[in-house]
Amino acid sequence: MNNVRPIRAKRGTNLEGASAHNRRVIVEALRLNGQLSRADLARATALTKQTVSNIVDELERDGLVVSLTAVRSGRGQPSTPYRLVPEGAYAIGLQIDRHVTRSIAVDLVGTVLVRFAASLPQGGPSAGVKTVLDLVEKTRRELAKIATHSEERLVGLGVAMPGPFGIETVDDDPWMMSAWQNFPLLETLAVGTGLDVALQNDAAAAATAEKMIGAANGIDHAICLYLGYGLGAGLILDGDLYRGANGNAGEIGMVLTTRPEGRLSPLEHRTSIASLCKVMDIDPAIDDLYGRITDAVAMMNPRLLEWVEGAAADLRATIQMSETIFDPQTIILCGSLPETLARLLMQSLDPLLPSIAERRDRTFPRLQLGFTDPWAVAVGAAAEPIGRTFDPRFSAILKTRAGFVA
């Protein structure tokens, strides 16, 4: 019998870890600012000029940055700006939802190069995983036509699907994807594609997209309220996406609220696209769901307006609670919903409830609109391998220990 007590300790780093972190810092600075000289990079990152020069030279050799035409400013020596090379890396993003799967390919700066979608067949993952693998392979083939060296610069496959993960659910619960969550999805995808695979929930993926190329770009503290089939929140805290102990951070749709009749009900049961479809008697699996909702907004459909009023009341309380708990710089409304509906919701949310976020020195609005696009989650899924490879993250500095993945 093994009675050895586990030792509790933080992991350390070493010179290689610090060097890798500095390299990521330079890449992020170029991504956020577009182009910078070596002197600019040294000032912005507090690294020595020699360290910056060594890293820039290394990145240039690796095909990740390129020098531009020298610029003369004042009487000093001309400076040479550098920028990221979009073709320096590529990633695939995969969204698996209840009725559809989407695959997308992006370059190092997040430009979408290829995208495909397919309906998922009945029968759960045993039938649907072939559709998923075929879609990823189709995306890779198309990407290779556009970028002939894409395969050797493909950094991974990011996967996003609705959570929460690892909880006990009944198999026929329409709000969960328990069959897919209990299926060895990551292992199957890794074997089938030969790529490094990572999973996140759809709200976290939407926040990743906002962080890389959207409204949260350059913001260290933001809450991304994701309104899709369900309701969730992506938490960007101190520049990093916070996932929680089990990858379920931000599952606000599971928050229990009291209905008028007195019973408890999860928030997303009345504030989500699925709840809107139920109110309007629309099948959420139809191909033209966005078109149907957009038409209903244009006609100011009474049932849609009633849903908007209730959803706005729920979201006002959610925003006030999120501001109180997390103290973000801004809250971003995003999701897989038509932009016309998102803008109607934004109008209905005004005025927001009083909170600690009401400050005279605010730089960003308390609430702003982010991506409202059916492809937003897939974009965020593709951005995850790029971020995992190049963004400065605390976990990337630490030495790996047995049984632990950073």
Side-chain angles (χ1 to χ4, degrees), residues 109-143:
V109 297
T111 303
V112 176
L113 303 174
V114 179
R115 66 182 190 180
F116 292 111
S119 297
L120 285 173
Q122 297 293 321
S126 58
V129 73
K130 183 181 185 306
T131 300
V132 169
L133 286 169
D134 288 346
L135 196 67
V136 173
E137 179 59 29
K138 183 179 180 182
T139 302
R140 292 174 74 168
R141 288 199 306 268
E142 191 64 26
L143 177 61

Side-chain angles (χ1 to χ4, degrees), residues 74-361:
R75 299 180 180 180
Q77 293 292 323
S79 62
T80 301
Y82 291 83
R83 66 166 174 80
L84 292 179
V85 177
E87 302 82 11
Y90 301 91
I92 305 292
L94 178 67
Q95 178 190 15
I96 300 174
D97 213 330
R98 293 159 182 83
H99 313 292
V100 66
T101 180
R102 298 182 178 92
S103 180
I104 210 162
V106 301
D107 62 20
L108 178 58
V109 297
T111 303
V112 176
L113 303 174
V114 179
R115 66 182 190 180
F116 292 111
S119 297
L120 285 173
Q122 297 293 321
S126 58
V129 73
K130 183 181 185 306
T131 300
V132 169
L133 286 169
D134 288 346
L135 196 67
V136 173
E137 179 59 29
K138 183 179 180 182
T139 302
R140 292 174 74 168
R141 288 199 306 268
E142 191 64 26
L143 177 61
K145 294 178 184 178
I146 299 170
T148 54
H149 301 293
S150 60
E151 279 297 309
E152 60 195 62
R153 291 186 171 270
L154 203 54
V155 296
L157 170 66
V159 184
M161 62 184 291
F165 303 128
I167 66 171
E168 296 296 327
T169 61
V170 295
D171 290 340
D172 61 349
D173 187 338
W175 293 92
M176 303 291 180
M177 291 183 65
S178 54
W180 280 93
Q181 292 173 9
N182 294 326
F183 182 77
L185 180 63
L186 299 190
E187 296 87 343
T188 304
L189 291 175
V191 171
T193 65
L195 298 172
D196 290 332
V197 185
L199 174 69
Q200 58 186 329
N201 65 39
D202 47 9
T208 303
E210 296 290 351
K211 182 175 182 291
M212 185 175 187
I213 56 174
N217 185 254
I219 296 177
D220 289 328
H221 305 276
I223 307 298
C224 299
L225 287 182
Y226 173 78
L227 187 63
Y229 186 96
L231 179 68
L235 311 177
I236 300 171
L237 307 178
D238 206 16
D240 287 334
L241 192 70
Y242 179 72
R243 294 178 171 82
N246 303 291
N248 291 327
E251 286 288 351
I252 59 172
M254 303 291 290
V255 172
L256 294 177
T257 59
T258 304
R259 301 292 295 270
E261 61 272 21
R263 67 183 178 88
L264 292 174
S265 174
L267 183 59
E268 65 184 4
H269 284 199
R270 63 186 188 192
T271 304
S272 61
I273 296 300
S275 66
L276 173 61
C277 289
K278 185 175 181 180
V279 165
M280 299 189 63
D281 196 24
I282 300 175
D283 182 357
I286 62 173
D287 292 335
D288 192 32
L289 177 61
Y290 269 45
R292 290 282 296 276
I293 295 175
T294 299
D295 289 344
V297 173
M299 294 185 293
M300 289 288 132
N301 181 285
R303 286 189 289 177
L304 179 138
L305 294 178
E306 182 180 356
W307 176 87
V308 166
E309 182 180 357
D314 285 337
L315 289 175
R316 274 193 216 98
T318 301
I319 290 167
Q320 199 273 348
M321 178 180 64
S322 299
E323 290 174 330
T324 303
I325 296 173
F326 295 106
D327 189 24
Q329 292 167 274
T330 188
I331 289 184
I332 300 166
L333 178 64
C334 59
S336 298
L337 74 165
E339 184 177 351
T340 53
L341 177 59
R343 293 196 178 280
L344 183 59
L345 264 175
M346 289 284 288
Q347 294 171 13
S348 301
L349 284 166
D350 188 42
L352 296 173
L353 296 176
S355 88
I356 62 172
E358 293 180 316
R359 304 173 59 94
R360 294 180 180 178
D361 60 348

Side-chain angles (χ1 to χ4, degrees), residues 25 29 33 36 38-47:
V25 165
N33 295 280
L36 293 170
R38 297 186 188 213
D40 291 333
L41 286 166
R43 283 193 297 270
T45 62
L47 295 171

